[in-house]
Amino acid sequence: MPGRFLTLDDVLYEYVLDNSLREHPAQAALREATRRHRYAGMQIAPEQGQFMAMLVKLLDARRTIEIGVFTGYSALAVALALPDDGRLLACDVSDEFTRIGRPFWEQAGVAHKIDLQLAPALDTLDARLTTGEAGHYDFAFIDADKSGYDAYYERCLRLVRPGGLIAVDNTLWGGDVARSARDADTAALQAFNRKLHGDERVDVSLLPFSDGLTLARKR
Ligand code: CA
């Protein structure tokens, strides 16, 4: 159906990168360091990192959250877009994976902006709520275990200010969300997408970008 979407074949995708991608050398180096990782597919695409950096700048964000760091590419993209006194609360449970990214955060000169918390994200977020940080954040990115999305979203919705933005990755899940769920992750994403569609606490947009990126702006 014309006008609905453009098939992003390899040639066109290369064109997009060649004609719009701007990466810090540390970002390119981190992508290269992650390329042969057994979970390399978990890394966001570079144009998505650039888009998230744009969102951070549009929001004039200073306090940000990331749930699911993997090897740190998205954290690096966000940290590069933050002002020098901006901070990213980066939540992950894996020392093994995040350890890969940390030298590149240093290389880019943004390591001081990234507060990496190696613990279950809900513990970290609940602790921040307990210490009075509700409404303190401008931007949050959720990209972790799919069965946890709803709980992460509810915490983020309390932690971001009105007008703040929550970006949620993989909400199209390779297209599986539009088919009958064969597994728990797909079912969780289907329920999450349904919930956000009707959630009057936010303005919502599901972008058919990368693997699906939902933007929820807190009203
Ligand atoms: Ca993802």
Side-chain angles (χ1 to χ4, degrees):
M1 181 179 294
R4 188 187 288 177
F5 70 92
L6 205 52
T7 301
L8 198 59
D9 60 20
D10 289 348
V11 172
L12 187 55
Y13 183 63
E14 284 303 316
Y15 178 88
V16 169
L17 297 184
D18 288 347
N19 288 275
S20 73
L21 185 64
R22 296 178 179 176
E23 273 188 316
H24 188 286
Q27 289 180 286
L30 176 49
R31 275 205 294 137
E32 184 56 31
T34 306
R35 201 162 59 86
R36 289 186 186 82
H37 194 281
R38 65 189 186 280
Y39 297 129
M42 280 168 45
Q43 183 170 66
I44 64 165
E47 72 279 10
Q48 184 178 341
Q50 187 169 331
F51 177 69
M52 286 167 48
M54 175 75 85
L55 294 176
V56 164
K57 291 189 176 185
L58 286 169
L59 287 160
D60 284 326
R62 284 184 59 247
R63 285 185 284 240
T64 61
I65 297 169
E66 175 167 283
I67 301 165
V69 176
F70 186 43
T71 64
Y73 186 88
S74 48
L76 179 55
V78 167
L80 282 164
L82 287 170
D84 196 59
D85 65 346
R87 291 293 178 269
L88 173 66
L89 175 62
C91 306
D92 204 284
V93 290
S94 174
D95 178 61
E96 179 195 346
F97 297 163
T98 56
R99 177 187 296 275
I100 295 167
R102 282 179 244 163
F104 300 96
W105 299 347
E106 296 282 352
Q107 183 190 333
V110 298
H112 65 288
K113 301 183 196 175
I114 302 174
D115 173 14
L116 176 63
Q117 295 292 320
L118 290 174
L122 288 183
D123 293 349
T124 300
L125 301 176
D126 283 340
R128 300 296 169 131
L129 284 165
T130 301
T131 55
E133 294 191 6
H136 278 219
Y137 292 85
D138 306 296
F139 175 77
F141 178 51
I142 299 173
D143 186 14
D145 54 299
K146 308 314 168 197
S147 58
Y149 269 26
D150 187 54
Y152 301 141
Y153 170 73
E154 288 298 331
R155 296 326 188 274
C156 287
L157 199 53
R158 292 172 62 195
L159 286 162
V160 302
R161 61 172 169 83
L165 191 70
I166 303 169
V168 188
D169 201 34
N170 302 110
T171 49
L172 291 181
W173 206 230
D176 285 354
V177 289
R179 298 182 266 273
S180 52
R182 292 163 300 180
D183 59 79
D185 286 345
T186 305
L189 286 163
Q190 288 172 328
F192 181 77
N193 288 340
R194 261 196 311 275
K195 169 178 166 166
L196 257 70
H197 188 204
D199 191 342
E200 295 294 331
R201 298 171 297 175
V202 294
D203 301 307
V204 69
S205 177
L206 200 179
L207 297 174
F209 174 51
S210 289
D211 192 31
L213 182 69
T214 293
L215 301 182
R217 176 190 175 274
K218 183 176 177 178
R219 289 178 166 166

